[in-house]
Amino acid sequence: MFIQMKNGRKSYGKGESEVHALDGADISLEKGKVYVILGPSGSGKSTMLNMLGGLDSLDEGTITVDGREISGLKAADLTKYRKTDVGFVFQFYNLIPDLTVKENIQVVSDIADKPLDIDEVMQALDIDKYRDRFPNELSGGQQQRVAIARALIKNPKLLLCDELTGALDSKTSRTVLKFIEKVNQQFGTTIAIITHNEAIAGMADAVIKIKDGKVSSNTANENKLPASELAL
Ligand SMILES: Nc1ncnc2c1ncn2[C@@H]1O[C@H](COP(=O)(O)OP(=O)(O)OP(=O)(O)O)[C@@H](O)[C@H]1O
Ligand SMILES: [Mg+2]
């Protein structure tokens, strides 16, 4: 298995206010597949993604990525893992306002070990024509594509998206999802997308459900649809 969490536990707070954000979660992701993660608000989805991406560490349990155990890595090694192996896309883009589109992507490329070709990535996401614009001169969907390009330029093994389309209308969501589909096909990136929109599950290879800090199901999608056919 390419990515695996076993018995993941993570609590926040103490005593009366203690919350078990992950409460014995097990998850397995195969290489090169697209996963959609569904679950009620507060069920532990973001916590799960943050752990897989090395943004935070488990209280208990193990995470292995491509044969390497990342739970228990020292801070410096975890930073390296985040830097080289993981691309993160957040709901609110996190672009640097004073840098152009190209510069926003370039700064990530500059610190990456084996970055992809910046022109190829900008073309794949169809943002080439905005390369010299600033983020506030772009629509939400265009900004989200720049955020995906930033995550992708370092050629991560794993692309993690938290509420990828949460701030977008359905037309723009579809455009962004088509690019996600293309990224998966063109670069073979393993992708996990958290969403509240169940229609997005249609384009997944498998759908993971999270409930009360546990993975309640991880089911192959027998009728995988292209993003162009999702009923968003
Ligand atoms: N840093 C934190 N400090 C305290 N509690 C936290 C923290 N992060 C998460 N939690 C709690 O852990 C639980 C799981 O949170 P998480 O953000 O993983 O949920 P989620 O499934 O992503 O929800 P949503 O769909 O609303 O984004 C929630 O009860 C939340 O309040
Ligand atoms: Mg969340």
Side-chain angles (χ1 to χ4, degrees):
M1 197 51 66
F2 185 52
I3 293 160
Q4 198 152 41
M5 177 186 287
K6 283 191 184 159
N7 191 32
R9 292 181 187 275
K10 180 74 180 181
S11 300
Y12 295 105
K14 287 254 177 307
E16 290 272 293
S17 61
E18 186 173 6
V19 176
H20 301 285
L22 289 181
D23 193 16
D26 297 295
I27 197 170
S28 297
L29 309 181
E30 287 178 51
K31 192 171 181 146
K33 300 228 154 143
V34 177
Y35 293 86
V36 165
I37 300 179
L38 301 173
S41 181
S43 57
K45 303 181 297 296
S46 295
T47 306
M48 165 67 82
L49 222 61
N50 292 346
M51 299 298 161
L52 295 179
L55 291 180
D56 201 349
S57 48
L58 291 170
D59 298 333
E60 267 183 64
T62 56
I63 298 170
T64 48
V65 176
D66 206 6
R68 176 164 174 242
E69 190 172 328
I70 63 145
S71 39
L73 283 183
K74 294 197 187 71
D77 292 329
L78 201 60
T79 303
K80 176 108 173 73
Y81 165 70
R82 271 200 308 269
K83 206 174 98 182
T84 56
D85 292 340
V86 187
F88 241 106
V89 182
F90 299 97
Q91 181 173 1
F92 297 108
Y93 323 136
N94 293 14
L95 301 177
I96 303 165
D98 300 336
L99 299 183
T100 64
V101 164
K102 182 164 186 201
E103 289 164 348
N104 259 284
I105 304 166
Q106 190 73 52
V107 289
V108 181
S109 172
D110 286 346
I111 57 163
D113 282 348
K114 292 178 198 142
L116 297 171
D117 182 78
I118 192 162
D119 290 313
E120 191 186 349
V121 169
M122 285 197 296
Q123 275 154 22
L125 289 151
D126 200 19
I127 49 175
D128 212 20
K129 48 186 172 286
Y130 317 122
R131 61 199 297 145
D132 297 322
R133 288 208 211 165
F134 292 94
N136 68 4
E137 297 170 336
L138 299 175
S139 73
Q142 290 160 352
Q143 288 184 56
Q144 189 61 300
R145 272 143 58 197
V146 179
I148 296 169
R150 268 172 69 91
L152 199 65
I153 187 73
K154 54 185 170 177
N155 198 6
K157 292 176 179 169
L158 182 58
L159 181 64
L160 302 172
C161 309
D162 200 346
E163 298 292 353
L164 180 66
T165 58
L168 305 176
D169 62 45
S170 63
K171 182 163 172 276
T172 314
S173 296
R174 189 184 309 283
T175 309
V176 167
L177 291 167
K178 280 189 195 168
F179 285 107
I180 287 287
E181 185 171 63
K182 187 168 168 187
V183 160
N184 171 252
Q185 288 165 0
Q186 188 168 339
F187 302 107
T189 317
T190 307
I191 302 178
I193 306 167
I194 292 179
T195 181
H196 281 108
N197 185 344
E198 295 202 11
I200 296 176
M203 69 180 277
D205 291 296
V207 180
I208 292 170
K209 292 198 174 157
I210 300 201
K211 198 181 165 206
D212 300 331
K214 295 184 183 69
V215 174
S216 58
S217 64
N218 183 346
T219 314
N221 178 11
E222 306 293 346
N223 299 308
K224 187 178 170 183
L225 295 172
S228 59
E229 289 176 25
L230 298 174
L232 295 171

